[in-house]
Amino acid sequence: MNNLRVNCSKDIFFNRLNSYGKENDSKVVIFIDAINEGEGKRLWENFADQLICEIEKYPFIGLVMSARTSSRKDWVYELAKKDWAQEYQHKGFGNNGYDAAEYMFASFGLEQPLWPLYLEEFRNPLFLTTYCRAHSLSPTSSLDFKNYWEIISDYCRYINNQLAQKYEYNPAQTLVWDSMLALAALVVNSRKRYSLTYKDALSEITSVANYIKSPQTFLDYMIDEGLLTIYYTDSETKLIVLDDFRI
């Protein structure tokens, strides 16, 4: 409760919320956003279950948590699949990609582009935000035309800068881009259509980023950022997919 700057015990806090909901014959809903992002990831991975069990005691309190989905079956996946959980998947901007792009360009002080938008990619809020943030650092507000692969390269560069801070390496070492190219080459050489086993992918990442303390978490971060996708076969074999939306 100290982290929430609430000067009372959790029992008093929840009892007051529950009483308020009961008096108004309506649930008081607590919203917690982005539970698997930033510093909150470690917090909620350890305490989400505990909070949920606590709130279950109060019939007039509801809880909504949002998380960025990943193809990995991680702790968020397990949390969402529990019996008491009701899961809703938000599909990004959906069919509103054009309106979202127009709004985001304006929010970042960027001119509306004269060239056709990549609406399929811009339906992804993270991709669109990253794209606008990268261009907002440019000395001009106009958007020069970039082909598809240049946009992907910019996105990889942004993720590489994030990982460089996390793993303490120089961002001039383009480990994310090098890793993606290495995985793509491995797919071609193995003649496996767009896919690799997780084990083979990890082995390749370990070779490319051999001085990273934890190549597995490096690979998992790339998955979480949407550069790679995992799916599961009937035998639960993990496979990396290089789909055509990315590289």
Side-chain angles (χ1 to χ4, degrees):
M1 298 307 294
N2 291 334
N3 292 333
L4 300 177
R5 299 181 182 177
V6 177
N7 296 320
C8 64
S9 69
K10 68 177 188 303
D11 292 331
I12 293 175
F13 179 70
F14 288 139
N15 273 307
R16 287 180 179 176
L17 288 181
N18 193 67
S19 296
Y20 181 85
K22 185 176 182 180
E23 290 170 7
N24 291 274
D25 194 29
S26 179
K27 280 197 173 188
V28 176
V29 181
I30 299 172
F31 290 86
I32 303 176
D33 188 28
I35 61 171
N36 62 341
E37 298 181 48
E39 294 300 318
K41 182 177 180 180
R42 283 179 289 180
L43 172 68
W44 294 116
E45 184 173 4
N46 295 321
F47 294 107
D49 272 330
Q50 181 179 331
L51 176 63
I52 291 166
C53 290
E54 190 69 33
I55 287 179
E56 280 186 315
K57 303 174 185 176
Y58 302 92
F60 287 93
I61 299 179
L63 177 65
V64 175
M65 292 178 160
S66 75
R68 277 178 51 199
T69 55
S70 168
S71 51
R72 290 196 298 131
K73 290 186 177 180
D74 57 7
W75 66 274
V76 173
Y77 174 90
E78 297 298 335
L79 192 67
K81 296 302 179 184
K82 292 191 175 181
D83 293 339
W84 40 255
Q86 296 184 30
E87 182 182 8
Y88 173 79
Q89 290 191 0
H90 189 277
K91 302 296 183 180
F93 295 124
N95 294 326
N96 300 309
Y98 183 86
D99 293 335
E102 187 177 72
Y103 174 82
M104 291 296 288
F105 288 146
S107 297
F108 279 87
L110 301 172
E111 295 178 5
Q112 299 298 317
L114 299 178
W115 39 269
L117 297 178
Y118 296 98
L119 291 182
E120 183 64 33
E121 289 74 24
F122 285 164
R123 289 190 179 101
N124 182 333
L126 177 64
F127 187 94
L128 178 57
T129 303
T130 300
Y131 179 83
C132 290
R133 182 177 290 119
H135 281 282
S136 68
L137 302 176
S138 172
T140 174
S141 62
S142 63
L143 289 176
D144 296 328
F145 175 76
K146 290 191 173 184
N147 65 38
Y148 178 80
W149 296 111
E150 288 176 315
I151 292 176
I152 295 296
S153 177
D154 286 345
Y155 187 62
C156 286
R157 188 179 301 112
Y158 173 80
I159 300 303
N160 188 71
N161 289 340
Q162 298 291 101
L163 286 173
Q165 295 180 30
K166 183 179 179 68
Y167 292 101
E168 299 180 340
Y169 66 85
N170 191 318
Q173 296 170 287
T174 54
L175 291 188
V176 170
W177 185 251
D178 293 346
S179 297
M180 295 298 289
L181 290 179
L183 292 178
L186 189 60
V187 168
V188 172
N189 293 332
S190 63
R191 297 182 179 180
K192 295 178 180 177
R193 189 174 177 82
Y194 305 126
S195 67
L196 296 169
T197 65
Y198 186 92
K199 180 180 179 181
D200 288 344
L202 179 57
S203 177
E204 192 68 18
I205 293 294
T206 301
S207 176
V208 174
N210 55 8
Y211 46 85
I212 295 293
K213 291 182 180 178
S214 179
Q216 181 171 345
T217 57
F218 186 88
L219 174 59
D220 288 344
Y221 192 96
M222 291 173 63
I223 294 168
D224 291 341
E225 291 301 321
L227 291 171
L228 300 164
T229 303
I230 275 187
Y231 69 90
Y232 299 82
T233 67
D234 292 338
S235 60
E236 291 297 304
T237 301
K238 297 180 178 180
L239 296 169
I240 300 292
V241 176
L242 306 177
D243 64 40
D244 57 4
F245 164 49
R246 296 164 179 96
I247 292 182

